[in-house]
Amino acid sequence: MRGGAVAAPARPAGASRPETYPPGPAAPLHGPWPDDAVWGRRWLGPARPASPATAAAIALAAAIAAVSVPMDRPGVGWLLAAVAGTVALVLGRVRPRRPPSMLPPPPVVHPAARLGPARFGWSAATVTLLAAGTLRSAGWLFVLCLLTAGFTGTLAVAGGRSLRAMLLATLMAPAAALRGAPWVVRGLARTRRPAGGVDGLRIAATVAVSAALLVVFGTLFASADATFADLLATAVPDVDAATVTRWVFVFVVTGVLLTGGAYLRAAPPDLSGLDGAGHRRVARLEWAVPLTLLVLLFGLFVAVQLAVLFGGSRHVRHTDGLTYAAYARGGFWQLLVITGLTLLVLAGAARWAPRRTRADRVLIRAVLGTLAVLTLVVVASALHRMDVYADTYGLTRLRVMVAAAEFWLGAVFLMILLAGIRLRAGWLPRAAVAAAVLALLGLAAANPDGMIAERNVTRYRQTGQIDVRYLSNLSPDAVPALNRLAGLNRVRRDCTLIEIHEAMRGDPGDWRGWSYGRERAGKLLAAEPPVRHRECPTHYAD
């Protein structure tokens, strides 16, 4: 100290630049300083580098995923990777106790954001969605589950209650992977080998000795017993350039995803400011007049179109130029456009409509409730149209997905009606996402490819018509239903199953792609293999 001046402490590495304070005793001597990053104080990031346990858990989980994940199909390997990733994120939170610091505590400490108990539900949803590949072998269904699992996994590590908070959390996920890489590197750089510890050379030697022992004794056991040799050949893939490339790719991708997840778990973003209702309100007439006119238009449409909405096959038969395709597509586009726009209208009105007085609250309940009820009528009509279309032309994957989306939208509008009773909808966005997850899991449990095959077999029994080309492109999940065609027509049973049978025989896969649907189909086809007939048509119509 010289002349009574107090030297300012050095700013920690990586800290943001300090604010300019006026001279005097009120000026802070050390941080934390406000973050000038893109996210500001909403996402400050972890206060400490990643622990060695975090890096080790991420590396181990990525290695398990590299070995177990099948890139070309669903299977049990995805479930193993999901469980390993979840355990890695849990272990990554375990930190050794930090020794007491001799530095004085900072005068301002920003409280760290915490995730609520909903994270356990989102974590379970993520693992369950990825487990769908263990039950069903339909690739299109698993892709939907995989995309949804990415969203629920983000909510599990980043949180978010409102729609804005969920969308912001989704945008933060890629940024977390970028910010997490140097966070892990700094943690590894600060790791010190304790006295008497093991250095990197000894660790590499331990791994090499372990691998050598497994190879030597595994080879001897395989030469001693044929059954063990077959088991070993099934469990251990052929190591070639393509396999090594796949391992490296899956390891890197999984490591990046888990690094971002661990970074978010270590310091979740503060999204609480986005969860509240909007404070800016509009006047009563500014929202009530246009929405009342919209309600009248909905009511007029439903009243005039009763024959169109609920006439079904009778209306189609008695209307010149109207086909089942046009009838069903009209209902679908009604649902897609009208329901989507209505959700936006309801969301905007719920956010900006005033509710200070009792008259305001009664008006918003009446107008928005009536609009939601009328939209439910449109949802019901679209479901009815799709059912008529499926009865006439058979069930397809697209029609199953449309029907599932219609049921989900109907459930969302029912929840909107419940939220309107008390004018509190803070729970609604998460409930809507949870309903979508349950709808997708319910679809997986119902076996959509099996439903399609069953519906078409029943239609063939009634009308004598069946689309062999389309049914032969279904997944092995459809084999039990298509196998029942043998009691109706043997040739048609073989023609629908021969493509599935040859695809399974040409690409049997290994344990990573095992699923219950594929296993059951394999047993049925092995017991009674289909035969390719020369007269196998692309479409039958008696």
Side-chain angles (χ1 to χ4, degrees):
M1 246 179 249
R2 184 176 298 176
V6 179
R11 186 158 53 117
S16 307
R17 56 180 176 83
E19 288 183 341
T20 303
Y21 291 91
L29 296 181
H30 53 82
W33 297 283
D35 198 341
D36 56 1
V38 176
W39 307 102
R41 290 189 178 181
R42 193 172 295 280
W43 191 21
L44 297 176
R48 290 184 292 170
S51 65
T54 301
I58 291 175
L60 181 59
I64 293 175
V67 175
S68 61
V69 168
M71 295 293 294
D72 58 343
R73 70 190 65 191
V76 69
W78 291 95
L79 175 60
L80 295 178
V83 173
T86 303
V87 173
L89 293 180
V90 172
L91 295 179
R93 291 283 293 173
V94 178
R95 295 178 177 272
R97 180 174 297 179
R98 185 168 54 178
S101 175
M102 301 301 294
L103 296 176
V108 179
V109 178
H110 299 296
R114 294 183 178 274
L115 297 176
R119 68 182 185 274
F120 300 111
W122 296 129
S123 301
T126 303
V127 175
T128 307
L129 286 167
L130 293 178
T134 308
L135 181 65
R136 304 299 175 205
S137 61
W140 66 274
L141 178 63
F142 184 71
V143 168
L144 294 178
C145 292
L146 184 62
L147 295 176
T148 308
F151 183 65
T152 57
T154 301
L155 297 181
V157 296
R161 299 181 58 184
S162 65
L163 181 60
R164 291 184 300 162
M166 290 180 181
L167 294 178
L168 184 58
T170 305
L171 295 176
M172 284 181 172
L178 296 177
R179 296 178 66 176
W183 173 66
V184 173
V185 171
R186 287 196 304 269
L188 293 176
R190 295 189 181 186
T191 303
R192 296 289 185 268
R193 181 169 64 92
V198 182
D199 56 16
L201 182 61
R202 291 181 177 272
I203 293 177
T206 302
V207 173
V209 170
S210 301
L213 290 175
L214 291 177
V215 170
V216 171
F217 283 93
T219 303
L220 292 175
F221 280 126
S223 62
D225 186 82
T227 303
F228 183 79
D230 294 338
L231 177 63
L232 197 62
T234 303
V236 179
D238 297 331
V239 180
D240 51 16
T243 301
V244 173
T245 302
R246 178 179 59 81
W247 283 350
V248 172
F249 175 77
V250 176
F251 181 87
V252 171
V253 172
T254 306
V256 169
L257 294 177
L258 290 179
T259 299
Y263 187 86
L264 285 170
R265 282 290 292 119
D270 184 12
L271 304 177
S272 57
L274 302 175
D275 294 334
H279 298 290
R280 183 178 179 181
R281 302 295 182 181
V282 298
R284 183 184 302 173
L285 292 180
E286 292 177 348
W287 76 270
V289 171
L291 262 67
T292 301
L293 294 176
L294 184 62
V295 168
L296 293 177
L297 179 63
F298 266 67
L300 180 63
F301 176 81
V302 172
V304 173
Q305 297 294 322
L306 285 178
V308 178
L309 296 177
F310 301 108
S313 59
R314 180 180 177 183
H315 173 74
V316 174
R317 289 194 302 267
H318 290 82
T319 304
D320 293 335
L322 185 61
T323 64
Y324 282 100
Y327 179 75
R329 282 197 298 267
F332 169 71
W333 289 111
Q334 280 180 358
L335 176 67
L336 183 64
V337 177
I338 296 177
T339 307
L341 292 177
T342 306
L343 280 176
L344 294 178
V345 169
L346 290 175
R351 180 171 180 81
W352 291 302
R355 59 193 71 179
R356 293 186 299 271
T357 65
R358 186 174 184 273
D360 289 332
R361 293 189 291 271
V362 171
L363 185 61
I364 193 173
R365 287 191 181 102
V367 175
L368 299 189
T370 305
L371 188 59
V373 170
L374 292 175
T375 309
L376 281 174
V377 176
V378 178
V379 172
S381 69
L383 285 171
H384 178 67
R385 290 171 181 233
M386 188 55 63
D387 185 64
V388 172
Y389 194 26
D391 283 340
T392 306
Y393 293 106
L395 202 59
T396 63
R397 289 170 173 172
L398 178 60
R399 294 162 197 167
V400 168
M401 287 190 291
V402 168
E406 289 168 349
F407 275 112
W408 173 71
L409 289 171
V412 170
F413 276 96
L414 286 175
M415 288 187 288
I416 289 175
L417 290 174
L418 292 177
I421 296 176
R422 300 186 62 187
L423 292 180
R424 293 181 180 177
W427 55 272
L428 185 56
R430 290 190 298 177
V433 176
V437 172
L438 292 177
L440 191 55
L441 292 177
L443 189 63
N447 187 11
D449 277 12
M451 290 171 51
I452 294 169
E454 186 68 37
R455 187 76 172 263
N456 282 274
V457 170
T458 302
R459 177 173 169 268
Y460 168 70
R461 187 181 292 112
Q462 296 172 351
T463 65
Q465 297 179 343
I466 190 169
D467 191 343
V468 174
R469 170 179 289 180
Y470 182 82
L471 295 177
S472 64
N473 290 323
L474 295 178
S475 68
D477 295 334
V479 169
L482 296 177
N483 194 49
R484 285 193 278 274
L485 279 172
L488 302 175
N489 189 295
R490 179 74 186 191
V491 174
R492 298 174 188 181
R493 179 260 182 190
D494 289 347
C495 289
T496 55
L497 290 178
I498 187 63
E499 298 293 339
I500 302 175
H501 178 59
E502 290 182 352
M504 293 180 61
R505 188 170 54 183
D507 187 13
D510 52 21
W511 65 271
R512 298 174 297 120
W514 183 92
S515 66
Y516 171 73
R518 191 177 180 90
E519 179 73 15
R520 184 174 58 168
K523 291 181 179 179
L524 290 175
L525 295 176
E528 196 173 0
V531 178
R532 182 177 291 277
H533 300 273
R534 220 181 332 177
E535 62 269 30
C536 279
T538 58
H539 182 78
Y540 265 114
D542 291 348

